[in-house]
């Protein structure tokens, strides 16, 4: 009766669907599911800068799980089903919309540069921007006109994406404010989830300190990937601090990054 036992497919035998800069997607255990694996790779400036930072994937897996689970709980639909282990989560397979949706509350990064604003200036209201996901073109900024003309999303889908982005921003801003962190800006991705003949847009990919700007409210310290982009050091300590404030890690807990190491 061996065939009745659940099958466990070891990771190296699972079918790899896609490998990105910081994550790998594998075929999931059931149709319509995928496994999202978080790597330790950190890249910036379209992968011109690259480093492997021990433990980053584990922290992002936990932080993204926490944020997506809360979004699911308040009725913001996401692709997230559940975390499987230290580096992996089970997600619903969606058709990724090729847009990076950036929401900004405070001037920083490319907006500060583009418009000559001082970093840290509160914006008159939250601003949503779209970038076309295309590494060869360096993810150029695009407008709704480009998105509809080239068929990346319909006007109705853009409305849905913007409504989702505002809900995610309001939820995350409040959540982080409660633990002494200012949500300066973040990037999210969306996908089409098919349920029979019905389709809805859901939040996909990850939301983690890799894809947000998070500043300590008192000290203004950066607790996000700008530590890597700007060579400030202390990235793992910063991500650990975010996890600890969110109550994901106990006071003195450190992330376990792997099993015993082979010493060569
Ligand atoms: P930017 O100021 O460099 O345009 O970044 C805006 C936000 O988007 C910031 O929170 C970092 C995030 N981001 C990504 O997640 N991936 C990217 O490739 C880029 C350029 C930014």
């Amino acid at each position: 009766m061996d065939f009745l036992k659940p099958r466990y497919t070891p990771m190296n035998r699972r079918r790899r669907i896609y490998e990105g800069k910081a994550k790998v997607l594998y075929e999931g255990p059931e149709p319509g599911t995928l496994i999202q694996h978080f790597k330790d790779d950190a890249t910036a400036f379209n992968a011109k800068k690259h480093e492997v930072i021990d433990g980053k994937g584990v922290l992002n897996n936990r932080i993204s799980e926490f944020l997506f689970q809360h979004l699911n709980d308040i009725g913001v639909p996401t692709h997230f089903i559940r975390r499987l282990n230290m580096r992996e989560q089970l997600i619903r397979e969606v058709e990724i919309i090729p847009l990076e949706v950036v929401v900004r509350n405070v001037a920083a990064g490319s907006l500060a540069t583009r418009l000559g604003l001082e970093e840290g200036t509160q914006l008159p209201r939250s601003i949503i921007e779209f970038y076309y996901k295309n590494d060869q073109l360096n993810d150029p900024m695009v407008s709704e006109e480009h998105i509809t003309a080239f068929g990346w999303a319909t006007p109705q889908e853009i409305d849905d994406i913007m409504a989702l982005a505002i809900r995610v921003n309001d939820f995350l801003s409040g959540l982080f404010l409660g633990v002494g962190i200012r949500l300066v800006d973040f990037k999210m991705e969306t996908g089409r989830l098919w349920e029979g003949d019905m389709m809805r847009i859901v939040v996909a990919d990850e939301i983690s300190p890799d894809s947000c700007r998070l500043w300590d409210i008192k000290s203004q310290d950066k607790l996000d990937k700008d530590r890597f982009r700007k060579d400030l050091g202390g990235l793992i300590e910063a991500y650990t601090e975010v996890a600890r404030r969110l109550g994901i890690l106990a006071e003195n807990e450190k992330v376990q990054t792997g099993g015993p190491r082979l010493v060569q």
Side-chain angles (χ1 to χ4, degrees):
M1 301 292 268
D2 238 16
F3 66 92
L4 286 179
K5 285 193 191 142
R7 297 231 175 133
Y8 172 72
T9 312
M11 220 188 59
N12 54 8
R13 270 198 269 137
R14 270 196 228 126
R15 199 155 69 88
R16 183 185 295 234
I17 308 279
Y18 175 81
E19 176 145 12
K21 285 178 274 208
K23 294 187 295 293
V24 188
L25 292 179
Y26 294 96
E27 192 172 59
E30 288 156 36
T33 66
L34 296 175
I35 291 168
Q36 178 165 261
H37 177 105
F38 288 75
K39 301 190 285 187
D40 282 338
D41 297 65
T43 64
F45 316 117
N46 202 6
K48 281 193 211 73
K49 184 176 162 86
H50 176 239
E51 236 173 80
V52 175
I53 304 180
D54 197 19
K56 181 175 80 75
V58 176
L59 282 158
N60 281 348
N61 185 26
R62 294 289 295 269
I63 294 170
S64 198
E65 169 203 14
F66 180 88
L67 300 176
F68 273 79
Q69 186 57 60
H70 277 81
L71 288 169
N72 284 344
D73 291 346
I74 62 162
V76 177
T78 81
H79 72 164
F80 179 80
I81 302 174
R82 66 188 157 85
R83 184 168 64 86
L84 296 171
N85 55 49
M86 286 196 323
R87 289 187 182 274
E88 295 177 329
Q89 39 187 252
L90 186 66
I91 58 170
R92 284 185 208 290
E93 185 170 21
V94 300
E95 188 183 306
I96 289 287
I97 294 171
L99 298 172
E100 302 210 335
V101 183
V102 169
V103 184
R104 303 179 184 270
N105 301 305
V106 178
S110 69
L111 178 76
T113 308
R114 198 181 329 121
L115 299 185
L117 300 170
E118 192 184 340
E119 270 226 338
T121 313
Q122 187 75 37
L123 298 172
R125 62 173 173 80
S126 303
I127 294 173
I128 301 176
E129 296 172 343
F130 298 106
Y131 295 82
Y132 177 45
K133 250 173 89 74
N134 184 318
D135 282 342
Q136 272 159 7
L137 300 175
N138 249 323
D139 298 346
M141 186 157 81
V142 292
S143 75
E144 296 181 39
E145 280 286 286
H146 302 104
I147 297 168
T148 50
F150 294 112
W152 300 321
T154 65
Q156 174 61 51
E157 286 175 333
I158 296 177
D159 286 350
D160 291 352
I161 292 168
M162 291 179 78
L164 275 179
I166 289 164
R167 289 193 72 191
V168 173
N169 183 50
D170 286 348
F171 171 71
L172 291 182
S173 294
L175 180 83
F176 282 120
L177 184 62
V179 296
I181 292 173
R182 193 172 183 201
L183 179 66
V184 171
D185 55 34
F186 68 95
K187 185 264 299 185
M188 61 173 233
E189 294 186 25
T190 55
R192 298 183 185 95
L193 178 64
W194 292 90
E195 287 162 330
D197 284 345
M198 295 283 287
M199 184 277 288
R200 55 187 177 138
I201 308 270
V202 304
V203 184
D205 193 57
E206 70 176 288
I207 303 178
S208 72
D210 266 14
S211 56
C212 300
R213 284 200 175 89
L214 303 169
W215 294 355
D216 182 79
I217 283 175
K218 285 202 190 120
S219 67
Q220 309 291 328
D221 279 353
K222 297 183 195 307
L223 302 173
D224 57 61
K225 198 166 129 186
D226 270 350
R227 301 213 70 86
F228 168 73
R229 296 191 190 96
K230 295 173 179 275
D231 289 319
L232 301 172
L235 179 135
I236 289 297
E237 291 75 6
Y239 286 28
T240 302
E241 177 64 17
V242 172
R244 199 168 281 153
R245 289 200 200 175
L246 292 174
I248 300 169
L249 287 181
E251 203 49 42
N252 295 314
E253 199 181 340
K254 273 203 171 148
V255 286
Q256 294 273 322
T257 56
R261 293 271 161 73
L262 192 66
V263 182
Q264 292 187 328

